[in-house]
Amino acid sequence: MSETATAPLQDHSDAAFDVFSRQCPSRGTLEHVTGRWGGLTLGALYESGARFNELRRRVDGVSEKMLSQTLHALERDGLVHRDAQLTNPPRVDYGLTPLGRQVAERLTALIELVEGRMPEVVEARARYDAAHGA
Amino acid sequence: MSETATAPLQDHSDAAFDVFSRQCPSRGTLEHVTGRWGGLTLGALYESGARFNELRRRVDGVSEKMLSQTLHALERDGLVHRDAQLTNPPRVDYGLTPLGRQVAERLTALIELVEGRMPEVVEARARYDAAHGA
């Protein structure tokens, strides 16, 4: 799971876990965190804790099934906690654990950079398409 | 593409682009950046520029086809540049653009956090599986 002697590019990390290695469990966690719905779910929960249906509206386009799977994977990884209150009807709130908060903070920094620089991305796409005859 | 009046959770962003909105082009760019292979490709190029086959070895498990598609999407978004040298045989190097470098920097911060905290994640998974009878 750490660097191999034959790695063509240097690995500067001393960590025992290495996302570049396909067997490393950290790759699965990175995918939960950055996957299509995982990233948006963490980003939404970074703004505030929320109930399932609030999250579903915020993460525009997610299905009930996908949001449910996403929340389970994030809960299993210890990034999201599920807080069920014994009211009638029962009420379930989702929020970030301390580790989930740290992950979401870095993810949000990435999301904000991407959103803020989209004018450059849109320009680059137009240039690329013009050059490649699209 | 910006916040809507009915958004259940507050959107603190003033940006014109909003990844939470399914029509916004920033969502596609975020997916190129954080997708299974996009994230690892940017992470590898953040360590150093590389040729196609070097990247393929570094991003353990990626197929030739997927790496090629990933590099094209990142090039089109203006995050990766392709540098073809007119040697014989021709040599093509891939590297990050200045914007790609900024994106990769934030992504690498996220990757390093995830790798570094995997012992906690592994523990959380064991607790979850025990509680859910897995």
Side-chain angles (χ1 to χ4, degrees):
Chain A
M1 296 195 280
S2 56
E3 57 201 282
T4 63
T6 55
L9 297 172
Q10 224 178 329
D11 181 358
H12 301 289
S13 154
D14 291 331
F17 291 94
D18 177 8
V19 294
F20 290 102
S21 169
R22 87 178 97 173
Q23 302 95 333
C24 185
S26 65
R27 189 179 278 191
T29 299
L30 185 69
E31 283 173 11
H32 299 158
V33 164
T34 59
R36 178 168 202 153
W37 303 119
L40 295 174
T41 301
L42 288 173
L45 289 174
Y46 188 65
E47 295 169 359
S48 93
R51 295 166 74 172
F52 188 87
N53 284 326
E54 290 174 321
L55 277 174
R56 222 192 128 183
R57 283 191 294 271
R58 179 70 179 128
V59 181
D60 186 22
V62 73
S63 70
E64 202 171 308
K65 186 181 163 194
M66 285 311 303
L67 181 57
S68 173
Q69 284 180 7
T70 298
L71 285 166
H72 276 121
L74 294 173
E75 192 192 349
R76 181 168 180 263
D77 282 346
L79 304 175
V80 161
H81 66 82
R82 206 175 163 281
D83 190 20
Q85 290 172 39
L86 299 173
T87 50
N88 187 2
R91 175 183 168 145
V92 183
D93 287 278
Y94 293 90
L96 297 175
T97 63
L99 178 56
R101 208 155 178 82
Q102 288 182 51
V103 169
E105 190 182 347
R106 299 205 180 187
L107 192 65
T108 298
L110 177 65
I111 287 174
E112 285 175 356
L113 178 69
V114 168
E115 286 177 343
R117 305 294 286 275
M118 277 306 291
E120 283 171 62
V121 170
V122 170
E123 258 185 58
R125 286 182 185 171
R127 268 198 312 274
Y128 182 95
D129 291 345
H132 293 77
Chain B
M1 296 194 278
S2 57
E3 58 201 281
T4 64
T6 56
L9 296 174
Q10 223 177 330
D11 181 358
H12 302 287
S13 157
D14 291 331
F17 292 94
D18 177 8
V19 293
F20 290 103
S21 168
R22 87 179 97 174
Q23 303 94 335
C24 184
S26 65
R27 190 179 277 192
T29 299
L30 186 69
E31 283 173 10
H32 297 158
V33 164
T34 59
R36 178 167 201 152
W37 302 120
L40 295 174
T41 301
L42 288 173
L45 289 174
Y46 188 66
E47 294 169 358
S48 95
R51 296 165 75 170
F52 188 87
N53 284 327
E54 289 173 321
L55 277 174
R56 223 192 128 185
R57 281 191 294 271
R58 179 70 178 128
V59 181
D60 186 23
V62 73
S63 70
E64 201 169 310
K65 187 180 164 195
M66 285 311 302
L67 181 58
S68 173
Q69 284 180 8
T70 298
L71 286 166
H72 277 121
L74 294 172
E75 191 191 350
R76 181 169 180 262
D77 282 347
L79 304 175
V80 160
H81 66 80
R82 206 175 163 282
D83 190 20
Q85 289 172 41
L86 299 172
T87 49
N88 187 2
R91 176 182 167 146
V92 183
D93 287 278
Y94 293 90
L96 297 175
T97 64
L99 179 55
R101 208 154 177 83
Q102 288 182 51
V103 168
E105 189 182 347
R106 299 204 181 188
L107 191 65
T108 299
L110 178 64
I111 287 174
E112 284 175 356
L113 178 68
V114 168
E115 287 177 343
R117 304 294 286 274
M118 277 306 290
E120 282 171 63
V121 170
V122 169
E123 257 184 59
R125 285 183 185 169
R127 267 197 312 274
Y128 182 96
D129 291 346
H132 294 76

Coordinates of all heavy atoms in Angstrom, one line a residue, chain B residues 44-104:
Chain B
A44 N -1.3 12.7 -9.7 CA 0.0 12.3 -10.2 C 0.7 13.4 -10.9 O 1.9 13.5 -10.8 CB -0.3 11.1 -11.1
L45 N 0.0 14.2 -11.7 CA 0.6 15.3 -12.4 C 1.1 16.4 -11.5 O 2.0 17.2 -11.8 CB -0.3 15.8 -13.5 CG -0.5 14.9 -14.7 CD1 -1.6 15.5 -15.6 CD2 0.8 14.7 -15.5
Y46 N 0.5 16.5 -10.3 CA 0.9 17.5 -9.3 C 2.3 17.1 -8.8 O 3.1 18.0 -8.5 CB -0.1 17.5 -8.2 CG 0.2 18.6 -7.2 CD1 0.0 20.0 -7.6 CD2 0.5 18.4 -5.9 CE1 0.2 21.0 -6.7 CE2 0.7 19.4 -4.9 CZ 0.6 20.7 -5.4 OH 0.8 21.7 -4.5
E47 N 2.6 15.8 -8.8 CA 4.0 15.4 -8.4 C 5.0 15.7 -9.4 O 6.1 16.2 -9.1 CB 4.0 13.9 -8.1 CG 3.1 13.5 -6.9 CD 2.9 12.0 -6.8 OE1 3.3 11.2 -7.7 OE2 2.2 11.5 -5.9
S48 N 4.6 15.5 -10.7 CA 5.5 15.8 -11.8 C 4.8 15.6 -13.1 O 3.9 14.8 -13.2 CB 6.8 15.0 -11.7 OG 6.7 13.9 -12.5
G49 N 5.2 16.3 -14.1 CA 4.8 16.1 -15.5 C 5.1 14.7 -15.9 O 6.1 14.1 -15.3
A50 N 4.5 14.1 -16.8 CA 4.7 12.7 -17.1 C 4.3 12.4 -18.5 O 3.4 13.0 -19.1 CB 4.0 11.8 -16.1
R51 N 4.8 11.3 -19.1 CA 4.3 10.7 -20.3 C 3.2 9.8 -20.1 O 2.9 9.4 -18.9 CB 5.5 10.0 -21.0 CG 6.6 11.0 -21.4 CD 7.9 10.3 -21.7 NE 7.7 9.7 -23.1 CZ 8.8 9.2 -23.7 NH1 10.0 9.2 -23.2 NH2 8.6 8.7 -24.9
F52 N 2.4 9.5 -21.1 CA 1.2 8.7 -21.0 C 1.5 7.4 -20.2 O 0.8 7.1 -19.3 CB 0.7 8.4 -22.4 CG -0.7 7.7 -22.4 CD1 -1.9 8.5 -22.3 CD2 -0.8 6.4 -22.4 CE1 -3.1 7.9 -22.3 CE2 -2.1 5.8 -22.3 CZ -3.2 6.5 -22.3
N53 N 2.5 6.7 -20.6 CA 2.7 5.4 -20.0 C 3.2 5.5 -18.6 O 3.0 4.6 -17.7 CB 3.7 4.5 -20.8 CG 3.0 4.0 -22.1 OD1 1.8 3.7 -22.0 ND2 3.7 3.9 -23.2
E54 N 3.9 6.6 -18.3 CA 4.3 6.8 -16.9 C 3.0 7.0 -16.0 O 2.9 6.5 -14.9 CB 5.2 8.0 -16.8 CG 6.6 7.8 -17.3 CD 7.4 9.1 -17.3 OE1 6.8 10.2 -17.6 OE2 8.6 9.1 -17.1
L55 N 2.1 7.8 -16.5 CA 0.9 8.1 -15.8 C 0.1 6.8 -15.6 O -0.5 6.6 -14.6 CB 0.0 9.1 -16.6 CG 0.3 10.5 -16.4 CD1 -0.5 11.4 -17.4 CD2 0.1 11.0 -15.0
R56 N 0.1 6.0 -16.7 CA -0.7 4.8 -16.6 C -0.2 3.9 -15.5 O -0.9 3.2 -14.8 CB -0.6 4.0 -17.9 CG -2.0 3.5 -18.3 CD -2.0 2.6 -19.4 NE -2.7 1.4 -19.0 CZ -2.8 0.3 -19.7 NH1 -2.2 0.2 -20.9 NH2 -3.4 -0.7 -19.2
R57 N 1.2 3.8 -15.3 CA 1.7 3.0 -14.2 C 1.4 3.6 -12.9 O 1.1 2.9 -11.9 CB 3.2 2.8 -14.4 CG 3.6 1.8 -15.5 CD 5.1 1.5 -15.4 NE 5.9 2.6 -15.8 CZ 6.3 2.9 -17.1 NH1 5.9 2.1 -18.1 NH2 7.0 4.0 -17.3
R58 N 1.5 4.9 -12.8 CA 1.3 5.6 -11.5 C -0.2 5.5 -11.0 O -0.4 5.3 -9.8 CB 1.7 7.1 -11.7 CG 1.5 7.9 -10.4 CD 2.5 7.5 -9.4 NE 2.4 8.3 -8.2 CZ 2.3 7.8 -7.0 NH1 2.3 6.6 -6.7 NH2 2.2 8.7 -5.9
V59 N -1.1 5.7 -12.0 CA -2.5 5.6 -11.6 C -2.9 4.1 -11.7 O -3.5 3.7 -12.7 CB -3.4 6.5 -12.5 CG1 -4.8 6.4 -12.1 CG2 -2.9 8.0 -12.4
D60 N -2.5 3.4 -10.7 CA -2.7 1.9 -10.7 C -4.1 1.5 -11.0 O -5.0 1.9 -10.3 CB -2.2 1.4 -9.3 CG -2.2 -0.1 -9.2 OD1 -2.1 -0.8 -10.2 OD2 -2.3 -0.6 -8.1
G61 N -4.3 0.7 -12.1 CA -5.6 0.1 -12.4 C -6.3 0.8 -13.5 O -7.4 0.4 -14.0
V62 N -5.8 2.0 -14.0 CA -6.5 2.7 -15.0 C -6.2 2.0 -16.4 O -5.1 1.5 -16.6 CB -6.1 4.2 -15.1 CG1 -4.7 4.3 -15.6 CG2 -7.1 5.0 -15.9
S63 N -7.3 1.9 -17.2 CA -7.0 1.4 -18.5 C -6.5 2.4 -19.5 O -6.7 3.6 -19.2 CB -8.3 0.8 -19.1 OG -9.2 1.8 -19.4
E64 N -6.0 2.0 -20.6 CA -5.4 3.0 -21.6 C -6.6 3.9 -22.0 O -6.4 5.1 -22.1 CB -4.9 2.2 -22.8 CG -3.9 3.0 -23.6 CD -3.2 2.1 -24.6 OE1 -2.7 1.0 -24.2 OE2 -3.2 2.4 -25.8
K65 N -7.7 3.3 -22.3 CA -8.9 4.0 -22.8 C -9.4 5.1 -21.8 O -9.6 6.2 -22.1 CB -10.0 3.1 -23.1 CG -11.2 3.7 -23.8 CD -12.3 2.7 -24.1 CE -13.6 3.4 -24.4 NZ -14.7 2.5 -24.4
M66 N -9.5 4.7 -20.5 CA -10.0 5.6 -19.5 C -9.0 6.7 -19.2 O -9.4 7.8 -19.0 CB -10.2 4.8 -18.2 CG -11.5 4.0 -18.2 SD -13.0 4.9 -18.8 CE -13.0 6.3 -17.7
L67 N -7.7 6.4 -19.3 CA -6.7 7.4 -19.0 C -6.7 8.4 -20.2 O -6.7 9.7 -20.0 CB -5.3 6.8 -18.9 CG -4.2 7.9 -18.6 CD1 -4.5 8.7 -17.4 CD2 -2.8 7.2 -18.5
S68 N -6.9 7.9 -21.4 CA -7.0 8.8 -22.5 C -8.2 9.7 -22.5 O -8.1 10.9 -22.7 CB -7.0 7.9 -23.8 OG -7.2 8.7 -24.9
Q69 N -9.3 9.2 -22.1 CA -10.6 10.0 -22.0 C -10.4 11.0 -20.9 O -10.8 12.2 -21.0 CB -11.8 9.1 -21.6 CG -12.3 8.3 -22.8 CD -13.5 7.4 -22.5 OE1 -14.0 7.5 -21.4 NE2 -13.9 6.6 -23.4
T70 N -9.8 10.6 -19.8 CA -9.6 11.5 -18.6 C -8.7 12.6 -19.0 O -9.0 13.8 -18.7 CB -9.0 10.6 -17.5 OG1 -9.9 9.6 -17.1 CG2 -8.7 11.5 -16.3
L71 N -7.6 12.3 -19.7 CA -6.7 13.4 -20.1 C -7.4 14.4 -21.1 O -7.2 15.6 -21.0 CB -5.4 12.8 -20.7 CG -4.5 12.2 -19.6 CD1 -3.4 11.3 -20.3 CD2 -3.8 13.3 -18.8
H72 N -8.2 13.8 -22.0 CA -8.8 14.7 -22.9 C -9.8 15.7 -22.2 O -9.9 16.9 -22.5 CB -9.6 13.9 -24.0 CG -8.7 13.5 -25.1 ND1 -8.5 12.2 -25.4 CD2 -8.0 14.2 -25.9 CE1 -7.7 12.1 -26.5 NE2 -7.3 13.3 -26.8
A73 N -10.6 15.1 -21.2 CA -11.6 16.0 -20.5 C -10.8 17.0 -19.7 O -11.2 18.2 -19.7 CB -12.4 15.1 -19.6
L74 N -9.7 16.7 -19.1 CA -9.0 17.7 -18.3 C -8.3 18.7 -19.2 O -8.1 19.9 -18.8 CB -7.9 16.9 -17.4 CG -8.5 16.0 -16.3 CD1 -7.4 15.2 -15.6 CD2 -9.3 16.8 -15.3
E75 N -7.9 18.2 -20.4 CA -7.2 19.2 -21.3 C -8.3 20.2 -21.8 O -8.1 21.4 -21.9 CB -6.6 18.4 -22.5 CG -5.7 19.3 -23.4 CD -5.3 18.6 -24.7 OE1 -5.6 17.4 -24.8 OE2 -4.8 19.3 -25.6
R76 N -9.5 19.6 -22.1 CA -10.5 20.5 -22.7 C -10.9 21.5 -21.6 O -11.3 22.7 -21.9 CB -11.7 19.6 -23.0 CG -12.9 20.4 -23.6 CD -13.9 19.5 -24.2 NE -15.0 20.3 -24.8 CZ -16.2 20.5 -24.1 NH1 -16.4 20.0 -23.0 NH2 -17.1 21.3 -24.7
D77 N -10.9 21.2 -20.3 CA -11.3 22.1 -19.3 C -10.2 23.1 -19.0 O -10.3 23.9 -18.1 CB -11.6 21.3 -18.0 CG -13.0 20.7 -18.0 OD1 -13.8 21.1 -18.9 OD2 -13.3 19.9 -17.1
G78 N -9.0 22.9 -19.6 CA -7.9 23.9 -19.4 C -7.1 23.6 -18.2 O -6.4 24.4 -17.6
L79 N -7.1 22.3 -17.7 CA -6.4 22.0 -16.5 C -5.1 21.2 -16.8 O -4.2 21.3 -16.0 CB -7.3 21.1 -15.6 CG -8.7 21.7 -15.2 CD1 -9.5 20.7 -14.4 CD2 -8.4 23.0 -14.4
V80 N -5.1 20.6 -17.9 CA -3.9 19.8 -18.3 C -3.4 20.3 -19.7 O -4.3 20.6 -20.5 CB -4.2 18.3 -18.4 CG1 -3.3 17.5 -19.2 CG2 -4.3 17.7 -16.9
H81 N -2.1 20.4 -19.9 CA -1.7 20.7 -21.2 C -0.8 19.5 -21.7 O -0.2 18.7 -21.0 CB -0.9 22.0 -21.3 CG 0.4 22.0 -20.6 ND1 1.5 21.4 -21.1 CD2 0.7 22.5 -19.4 CE1 2.5 21.6 -20.2 NE2 2.0 22.2 -19.2
R82 N -0.9 19.4 -23.0 CA -0.3 18.3 -23.8 C 0.8 18.9 -24.6 O 0.6 19.8 -25.3 CB -1.4 17.8 -24.7 CG -1.3 16.3 -25.1 CD -2.6 16.0 -26.0 NE -2.3 14.8 -26.7 CZ -1.6 14.8 -27.8 NH1 -1.1 15.9 -28.4 NH2 -1.4 13.6 -28.4
D83 N 2.0 18.4 -24.4 CA 3.2 19.0 -25.0 C 3.8 17.9 -25.9 O 4.5 17.0 -25.5 CB 4.1 19.4 -23.9 CG 5.2 20.3 -24.4 OD1 5.1 20.9 -25.5 OD2 6.3 20.4 -23.7
A84 N 3.5 18.1 -27.3 CA 4.1 17.1 -28.2 C 5.4 17.6 -28.8 O 5.5 18.7 -29.3 CB 3.1 16.9 -29.3
Q85 N 6.4 16.8 -28.6 CA 7.7 17.2 -29.2 C 8.0 16.4 -30.5 O 7.7 15.2 -30.6 CB 8.8 16.9 -28.2 CG 8.8 17.8 -27.0 CD 9.8 17.4 -25.9 OE1 10.9 17.0 -26.2 NE2 9.3 17.5 -24.6
L86 N 8.5 17.2 -31.5 CA 8.7 16.6 -32.8 C 10.0 15.8 -32.9 O 10.8 16.0 -33.8 CB 8.7 17.8 -33.8 CG 7.3 18.6 -33.8 CD1 7.4 19.8 -34.8 CD2 6.2 17.6 -34.3
T87 N 10.2 14.9 -32.0 CA 11.3 14.1 -32.1 C 10.9 12.8 -32.8 O 9.7 12.7 -33.2 CB 11.7 13.6 -30.6 OG1 10.6 13.2 -29.9 CG2 12.3 14.8 -29.9
N88 N 11.8 11.9 -33.1 CA 11.5 10.7 -33.7 C 12.0 9.5 -32.9 O 13.2 9.4 -32.7 CB 12.2 10.7 -35.1 CG 11.8 9.5 -35.9 OD1 10.9 8.7 -35.5 ND2 12.3 9.3 -37.1
P89 N 11.1 8.8 -32.3 CA 9.7 8.9 -32.3 C 9.1 10.1 -31.6 O 9.8 10.6 -30.7 CB 9.2 7.6 -31.7 CG 10.3 7.3 -30.7 CD 11.6 7.7 -31.3
P90 N 7.9 10.6 -31.9 CA 7.4 11.7 -31.3 C 7.2 11.4 -29.8 O 6.9 10.3 -29.4 CB 6.1 12.0 -32.0 CG 5.7 10.7 -32.7 CD 7.0 10.0 -33.0
R91 N 7.3 12.5 -29.0 CA 7.2 12.3 -27.5 C 6.1 13.3 -27.0 O 6.2 14.4 -27.3 CB 8.5 12.6 -26.9 CG 8.5 12.5 -25.4 CD 9.8 12.9 -24.8 NE 9.5 13.1 -23.4 CZ 10.4 12.8 -22.4 NH1 11.6 12.3 -22.7 NH2 10.0 13.0 -21.1
V92 N 5.2 12.8 -26.2 CA 4.1 13.6 -25.7 C 4.2 13.6 -24.2 O 4.2 12.6 -23.5 CB 2.7 13.1 -26.1 CG1 1.6 14.1 -25.6 CG2 2.6 13.0 -27.6
D93 N 4.3 14.8 -23.6 CA 4.3 15.0 -22.2 C 3.1 15.7 -21.8 O 2.6 16.6 -22.4 CB 5.5 15.9 -21.8 CG 6.8 15.1 -21.9 OD1 7.2 14.4 -20.9 OD2 7.5 15.3 -22.9
Y94 N 2.6 15.3 -20.6 CA 1.4 15.9 -20.0 C 1.8 16.7 -18.7 O 2.7 16.2 -18.0 CB 0.4 14.9 -19.6 CG -0.2 14.2 -20.8 CD1 0.3 13.1 -21.4 CD2 -1.3 14.8 -21.4 CE1 -0.2 12.5 -22.5 CE2 -1.9 14.2 -22.6 CZ -1.3 13.0 -23.1 OH -1.8 12.4 -24.2
G95 N 1.2 17.8 -18.5 CA 1.5 18.6 -17.3 C 0.3 19.4 -17.0 O -0.7 19.4 -17.7
L96 N 0.4 20.1 -15.8 CA -0.7 20.9 -15.4 C -0.6 22.3 -15.9 O 0.5 22.9 -15.9 CB -0.7 20.9 -13.8 CG -1.0 19.6 -13.1 CD1 -0.9 19.7 -11.6 CD2 -2.4 19.0 -13.5
T97 N -1.7 22.9 -16.2 CA -1.7 24.4 -16.5 C -1.7 25.1 -15.1 O -1.8 24.4 -14.1 CB -3.0 24.8 -17.2 OG1 -4.1 24.5 -16.3 CG2 -3.2 24.0 -18.5
P98 N -1.5 26.4 -15.1 CA -1.5 27.1 -13.8 C -2.8 26.9 -13.1 O -2.8 26.6 -11.8 CB -1.3 28.6 -14.2 CG -0.5 28.5 -15.5 CD -1.0 27.3 -16.2
L99 N -3.9 26.9 -13.8 CA -5.2 26.6 -13.1 C -5.3 25.1 -12.6 O -5.7 24.9 -11.5 CB -6.4 26.9 -14.0 CG -7.8 26.6 -13.5 CD1 -8.0 27.4 -12.1 CD2 -8.9 27.0 -14.5
G100 N -4.8 24.2 -13.5 CA -4.8 22.8 -13.1 C -3.9 22.6 -11.8 O -4.3 21.8 -11.0
R101 N -2.8 23.4 -11.7 CA -2.0 23.3 -10.5 C -2.7 23.7 -9.2 O -2.6 23.1 -8.2 CB -0.8 24.2 -10.7 CG 0.4 23.7 -10.1 CD 1.8 24.0 -10.5 NE 2.6 23.3 -9.4 CZ 2.8 22.0 -9.4 NH1 2.5 21.3 -10.4 NH2 3.5 21.5 -8.3
Q102 N -3.5 24.8 -9.4 CA -4.3 25.2 -8.2 C -5.3 24.2 -7.8 O -5.5 23.9 -6.6 CB -4.9 26.6 -8.5 CG -3.9 27.7 -8.5 CD -4.7 29.0 -8.8 OE1 -5.6 29.4 -8.1 NE2 -4.2 29.8 -9.8
V103 N -6.0 23.6 -8.8 CA -7.0 22.6 -8.5 C -6.3 21.4 -7.9 O -6.8 20.9 -6.9 CB -7.7 22.2 -9.8 CG1 -8.6 21.0 -9.6 CG2 -8.6 23.4 -10.3
A104 N -5.2 21.0 -8.5 CA -4.5 19.8 -8.0 C -4.0 20.0 -6.6 O -3.9 19.1 -5.8 CB -3.4 19.4 -8.9

